Amino acid sequence: YRIPGLQDDFATGMLCYAYMDRGDRIWLCQGDHIIRYDTRTGIAQRLVSRLRGDITAISETDGTNLFIGTVNGLFPVRERDGVLEALADTDSIRTPVSELYYHPGSKKLFVGTFRKGILVYGVSAGSTLRNVAVNRITPLNDRELLIATGGRGVYRMDVDSLVPKPFMAENTVFLLLTALIRNFYKAIIQRLDVKRFGLNATSRIKAFVFRFVSVPAKWIRTSRRYVLNIYTCNNAYADVFQTDFG
C-alpha cells in the first residue's frame, strides 16, 4: 500500500517512527523529516522540522501542546504554517528518548529513555527507574503504568508516588514452570511405576523433564470428546492417560 501524494523519497525510504494523532492524521517520520497524512481528507503534507536528530517518539498532551522525542532529547514544539518550531523549555531533557506517554489523569508526561530509565517532564526529581532502557509505557489502570524495560523485566509505577515495583521479572515464567513441574514430579514419582518411563525413585527433575514431560502430544476432538494423542512408542503413556496413540 502506498499513501497518495508521497514523494518517492518517503514512499521508498525507511521510516524511523510513525504516530497517529487525535485528529486521525498519521505522522510518518524519516530522520528529522515528517510527512503528515490526513486519513479523513486523503491529503499528505510535508512538515518542516527545525529539530535535529532522528525522531523516536511523539505525544500530545492537553490538545494544544505537542512533544517530540529525538535521539538528542525531548522538545515541546508548536506548528505554525507547516513549520515545527521548538519552544523555550526550562525543563529540558537532553538524553535520547525511546518512548513517550501522557497520563491524562495526573497530567504528567512520562519519558522513556535508552539509558537513563524513565523521567517525568517538569518533575525535578531524577529518574525513578535508573540505568535501564525503556521499551514501552502503557496504562495498567487509572493510577498505574506498566513499564517494559530492556533486560530487567516489567515494572508497575504509581503515577503519584512514581515508585517502580517489579511486576514481571524476566525469570518469572521460568520460576512458575519450574514450580509446576516440581509438583508434577513429586506426585508422579510417588504414585506411578516410573521405571516404565526410564526413570526411578531417585531420578532428578531434569531427567523427569526430558523423559516424561518432553513428549509431543496434541488434543484431538472426536465426535464425543477430546482425546490426547501422544506421539511416542512407549506404551506406558497409554495406561497413564487412558488414550490412544497418534
Side-chain angles (χ1 to χ4, degrees), residues 16-245:
C16 61
Y17 185 73
Y19 173 77
M20 176 173 280
D21 63 23
R22 295 170 187 165
D24 294 332
R25 298 175 300 181
I26 302 174
W27 298 57
L28 304 172
C29 306
Q30 190 181 94
D32 57 358
H33 302 291
I34 301 174
I35 287 289
R36 188 174 61 192
Y37 175 70
D38 193 323
T39 60
R40 299 175 181 176
T41 64
I43 297 175
Q45 178 186 13
R46 181 182 289 269
L47 301 179
V48 178
S49 173
R50 299 286 172 80
L51 307 177
R52 295 186 179 276
D54 290 355
I55 295 172
T56 56
I58 299 175
S59 179
E60 299 168 275
T61 53
D62 56 7
T64 59
N65 294 325
L66 182 71
F67 286 84
I68 295 181
T70 74
V71 294
N72 295 320
L74 177 69
F75 300 92
V77 300
R78 175 181 56 194
E79 180 191 350
R80 179 179 295 175
D81 298 327
V83 177
L84 296 176
E85 298 178 342
L87 302 176
D89 183 17
T90 57
D91 300 307
S92 61
I93 294 176
R94 295 298 177 258
T95 187
V97 174
S98 61
E99 176 81 352
L100 292 174
Y101 177 78
Y102 177 70
H103 185 261
S106 63
K107 299 187 181 302
K108 292 177 181 177
L109 178 65
F110 291 83
V111 183
T113 69
F114 285 103
R115 294 189 297 269
K116 295 185 177 181
I118 190 165
L119 304 169
V120 182
Y121 180 77
V123 176
S124 58
S127 173
T128 55
L129 185 61
R130 299 180 176 88
N131 302 322
V132 67
V134 174
N135 296 333
R136 181 70 172 163
I137 305 172
T138 191
L140 175 62
N141 51 51
D142 291 342
R143 306 306 302 174
E144 290 182 301
L145 303 178
L146 286 180
I147 302 169
T149 66
R152 282 167 51 185
V154 180
Y155 288 79
R156 62 194 300 169
M157 177 182 288
D158 184 276
V159 297
D160 296 319
S161 67
L162 304 180
V163 176
K165 298 179 180 179
F167 181 76
M168 186 184 297
E170 54 187 343
N171 63 343
T172 297
V173 175
F174 171 78
L175 294 175
L176 289 174
L177 287 175
T178 301
L180 288 172
I181 291 174
R182 183 175 182 274
N183 290 336
F184 285 124
Y185 165 80
K186 292 177 66 175
I188 290 173
I189 287 292
Q190 294 172 2
R191 299 178 185 180
L192 297 182
D193 181 12
V194 293
K195 291 182 179 179
R196 300 177 61 191
F197 301 97
L199 301 169
N200 55 57
T202 59
S203 294
R204 296 181 178 272
I205 292 181
K206 183 177 181 179
F208 171 75
V209 170
F210 280 103
R211 297 184 182 180
F212 187 87
V213 177
S214 299
V215 176
K218 183 178 181 180
W219 286 101
I220 303 296
R221 183 171 184 175
T222 65
S223 59
R224 296 183 179 180
R225 60 192 177 97
Y226 282 94
V227 175
L228 183 64
N229 273 12
I230 303 175
Y231 303 97
T232 177
C233 297
N234 190 343
N235 293 329
Y237 286 92
D239 297 334
V240 173
F241 294 98
Q242 298 180 356
T243 186
D244 296 328
F245 294 117

